[in-house]
Structure formats: C-alpha cells, structure tokens
Amino acid sequence: MKMAERLSHTQRFRGYPYRDEMVNNGVLAAVKYAHKFNGDKFDNGFAYVTQIIFSHFVITIKNEKKKYETNLKLIQQAEVGVMGNEEFAQMSDAHARSIADQKLNDMEVAKTPSKGGRGFGLKTGYTKEERENYKGGTPLKRDE
C-alpha cells in the first residue's frame, strides 16, 4: 500500500483527480499477481510489484478517459432538458454541446499518434521547450 501511495505522488500521476482509485486498483493488482513472482529467477521483488502497480495506474487512467469521453458524447447527443424556462434550457443545452464538441475534438487530436507514439501519453511535467533543450543530466533548468 505504501509503494502504491508513494508512486501516486510522483509527478506523472499527481494531477489526476481519481488518484485514490488508481492506488486501490494498483494495490488490488499487486495482491492478485504477487503469487506469480519467481524468486529463483529474479531477485528484485520490489521492481516486480512496482511494475504491476504502474501498469494498473495506466489502465485506470485509460478507463477514466474512456468514461469521460462517453459522458461528453452523451452531452453532445442530449435532448433539450425539461425546465420551466424553455429559452434558458435551449441556451444552456447549446453551450454544453459546444463545450462537449470542443473537448471531444481536443481528445481526438491528442489521440493521433506522433512520431513513433501510440496515441497515449502520461503527464511528464516537462514543457516542450524543456524536452527539446535536454542534452543530458536532467531536463530541468538548474542555477549554476
């Protein structure tokens, strides 16, 4: 549990609102697959557990993004709600649909694979400029 909690506080998983769910799924998977570790073949059980937790964090993120996309599509296809003020209902419905359209468009653009990519990327915390200026050591700027 401590390993999953600590891994969830790393920079690439910190910004997700469903971090607790990721931790729970990671711990559950670690317990589920712990019996498959072969101590005769490998000597680093911590790396085995960490990799299981990491992969289930990524699976949780993918599942949550699918749910979010489904919700946006439902908003996009929704009928005008039954409210007392018909004009307000139409205006709010149009606004919700325009936001859903924009978010879905952004998600489609993000899904298109870049050079050698597969369409899914975790948050790295580094800007594009910092990644391009990376020469060795650390991509973060240091006061020298």
Side-chain angles (χ1 to χ4, degrees):
M1 291 176 66
K2 286 183 179 181
M3 291 172 69
E5 186 65 33
R6 179 71 176 127
L7 185 60
S8 74
H9 287 290
T10 59
Q11 194 163 358
R12 62 174 43 160
F13 297 118
R14 188 180 303 148
Y16 294 105
Y18 37 84
R19 207 185 79 231
D20 292 337
E21 186 176 341
M22 292 188 328
V23 169
N24 292 337
N25 289 345
V27 169
L28 183 65
V31 170
K32 184 177 178 180
Y33 296 113
H35 73 282
K36 292 187 177 185
F37 178 70
N38 185 356
D40 298 331
K41 208 173 188 185
F42 305 105
D43 62 346
N44 194 348
F46 289 105
Y48 178 77
V49 172
T50 303
Q51 187 60 46
I52 291 172
I53 293 169
F54 182 90
S55 63
H56 278 77
F57 279 11
V58 172
I59 289 169
T60 303
I61 292 168
K62 286 182 179 181
N63 289 340
E64 290 294 326
K65 284 188 177 186
K66 283 181 187 177
K67 287 179 190 177
Y68 181 66
E69 188 174 2
T70 302
N71 288 341
L72 288 175
K73 287 180 181 177
L74 287 173
I75 290 170
Q76 198 177 34
Q77 298 168 357
E79 295 292 325
V80 175
V82 178
M83 298 180 79
N85 187 349
E86 189 68 28
E87 183 179 322
F88 175 74
Q90 288 177 349
M91 190 170 58
S92 64
D93 188 48
H95 183 65
R97 284 186 183 166
S98 69
I99 291 173
D101 289 341
Q102 181 182 1
K103 292 284 185 184
L104 283 170
N105 187 27
D106 292 345
M107 290 175 79
E108 287 299 319
V109 168
K111 280 184 183 179
T112 55
S114 58
K115 296 179 183 176
R118 293 204 270 160
F120 177 76
L122 295 173
K123 296 178 182 176
T124 61
Y126 302 123
T127 63
K128 183 177 180 180
E129 178 184 293
E130 288 172 332
R131 287 192 303 269
E132 288 173 354
N133 293 335
Y134 177 69
K135 299 259 191 277
T138 179
L140 300 176
K141 295 178 182 173
R142 294 185 186 175
D143 296 331
E144 294 183 21

